[in-house]
Amino acid sequence: MKSSAPGKIILFGEHAVVYNRPALAVPVTQVHADVEVLDSPRAGIFIHAPGIDLHAELNSLPPDHPIASVILKVFSTLRLPSPTGRRAGDEGGVEISITSSIPVASGLGSGAAVSVALIRALSSFISHPLLDEEVNTLAFEIEKLHHGTPSGIDNTVITYNKPVYFIKGQPMETFKVGKPFTIVVGDTGISAPTKESVGDVRLLWLRDTSNFENYFNEIAQIALIARRSIEHGRPELLGELMDHNHSILQSLTVSSPELDKLVGAARNAGALGAKLSGGGRGGNMIALVDQAGAESVAQALISAGAKRTIITEVR
Ligand code: MEV
């Protein structure tokens, strides 16, 4: 049984979304996590994730290990006996192979994508395929286990593989793209766990609540106007909104010199606007470009130190 899940980028609203403000995110299908679950003649559940050098039997991993926890959660949700009870001598087992082209801790949702692909492949393999809503709920529980106080936007956009207008705790809402537009993603190559930047913003918000509430309200306005512009087929209006959103993210302290450098380089190379995307402090930034200018902005990002770029069309 095979399953694949895309990466994602947040167009507008990261961090504020943790505080119940709306955010917009879209899937990035150029990168993905892939999981295959197969019968095995040997007893036990064997996990192979060569990208993180993991080759282990489930029993040998701690229950809160990011991959073991997904497998255990699938079994407990389906009310099936815990697979860790299985020992050699039990008939047959399972081999799980996990590969991913999504860079880890970069804001592209690598953890959520592995969870979603693994939940789908494993539940189908054991003949209990789950509905999208159930996959999303499970993936969110895993996100909460590993990422502190996530909003749930990553697992939602990745589970549904659609543009998402997201408000925490509310049913998933997609939005129409009136006219396709092109985004260049630039990776600083600096791995920055979202948990840390989200935790730091929380401390600052506790200390300076009224200013931070104002920042979040401003971001909410930007996300609303952005949604309208996208739906009305006026994506060129997003450039200025990205610049504005980036400057508020700087005030939230989640940008970094490397992100600012890439954002500046994109603008100098003709991007209509640019901002960091995701948790910040490292990871990725995004730039809005006209299709013809995409390659030269991508080149400028590499010259400014980006480790890699992705050109993606939102449609
Ligand atoms: C991470 O992709 C986006 C953040 O807003 C965190 C979250 O929403 O859980 C920074």
Side-chain angles (χ1 to χ4, degrees):
M1 192 63 63
K2 282 186 186 179
S3 185
S4 182
K8 71 100 209 344
I9 46 174
I10 295 191
L11 295 177
F12 296 97
E14 51 275 272
H15 287 287
V17 68
V18 175
Y19 300 80
N20 305 308
R21 278 30 172 226
L24 302 182
V26 292
V28 177
T29 49
Q30 284 92 338
V31 287
H32 37 91
D34 297 279
V35 174
E36 184 168 26
V37 183
L38 292 169
D39 275 318
S40 166
R42 50 180 179 165
I45 296 191
F46 296 89
I47 303 154
H48 306 282
I52 52 169
D53 213 11
L54 176 71
H55 300 276
E57 211 281 320
L58 180 66
N59 279 324
S60 69
L61 297 173
D64 61 351
H65 181 280
I67 290 171
S69 58
V70 180
I71 298 170
L72 296 173
K73 197 103 205 156
V74 169
F75 278 86
S76 67
T77 302
L78 296 174
R79 298 184 207 288
L80 295 170
S82 164
T84 52
R86 297 173 72 103
R87 290 279 176 273
D90 289 356
E91 72 208 73
V94 177
E95 304 274 342
I96 301 177
S97 301
I98 303 171
T99 53
S100 175
S101 54
I102 311 174
V104 175
S106 71
L108 290 174
S110 63
V114 168
S115 295
V116 166
L118 180 52
I119 292 166
R120 284 206 176 111
L122 186 59
S123 59
S124 299
F125 179 82
I126 51 184
S127 307
H128 287 79
L130 297 169
L131 301 171
D132 284 349
E133 207 182 311
E134 296 168 314
V135 172
N136 195 27
T137 303
L138 269 186
F140 185 41
E141 283 175 28
I142 300 293
E143 289 282 285
K144 283 192 276 194
L145 219 56
H146 302 297
H147 299 302
T149 55
S151 63
I153 190 168
D154 287 16
N155 47 278
T156 302
V157 63
I158 288 167
T159 298
Y160 291 94
N161 197 2
K162 283 183 185 151
V164 162
Y165 177 82
F166 182 85
I167 302 176
K168 194 170 129 185
Q170 296 197 8
M172 202 291 275
E173 232 182 287
T174 188
F175 59 89
K176 289 257 168 297
V177 180
K179 184 173 154 200
F181 55 96
T182 308
I183 297 281
V184 182
V185 184
D187 188 352
T188 60
I190 297 167
S191 107
T194 301
K195 188 176 181 172
E196 284 172 24
S197 63
V198 169
D200 290 351
V201 169
R202 182 161 297 273
L203 291 178
L204 293 168
W205 170 74
L206 285 171
R207 238 185 271 155
D208 189 8
T209 309
S210 88
N211 265 327
F212 271 64
E213 284 291 316
N214 286 338
Y215 292 142
F216 298 150
N217 286 338
E218 257 185 275
I219 293 175
Q221 277 304 315
I222 292 173
L224 272 171
I225 301 170
R227 178 185 180 165
R228 233 177 282 141
S229 307
I230 294 171
E231 289 187 326
H232 293 170
R234 304 283 314 275
E236 66 281 2
L237 301 178
L238 300 180
E240 206 177 307
L241 296 171
M242 281 187 180
D243 290 345
H244 188 187
N245 196 161
H246 185 71
S247 74
I248 306 170
L249 288 163
Q250 287 174 318
S251 304
L252 299 183
T253 76
V254 295
S255 193
S256 70
E258 296 81 4
L259 281 165
D260 289 343
K261 186 169 177 199
L262 295 187
V263 164
R267 289 178 189 148
N268 288 339
L272 304 171
K275 65 182 274 294
L276 72 85
S277 175
R281 299 270 167 81
N284 283 281
M285 48 71 66
I286 57 174
L288 177 73
V289 295
D290 48 36
Q291 216 175 10
E295 275 302 337
S296 57
V297 169
Q299 273 308 319
L301 289 173
I302 296 289
S303 306
K307 295 297 172 287
R308 60 188 227 144
T309 59
I310 300 170
I311 298 173
T312 187
E313 199 173 43
V314 180
R315 44 172 65 252

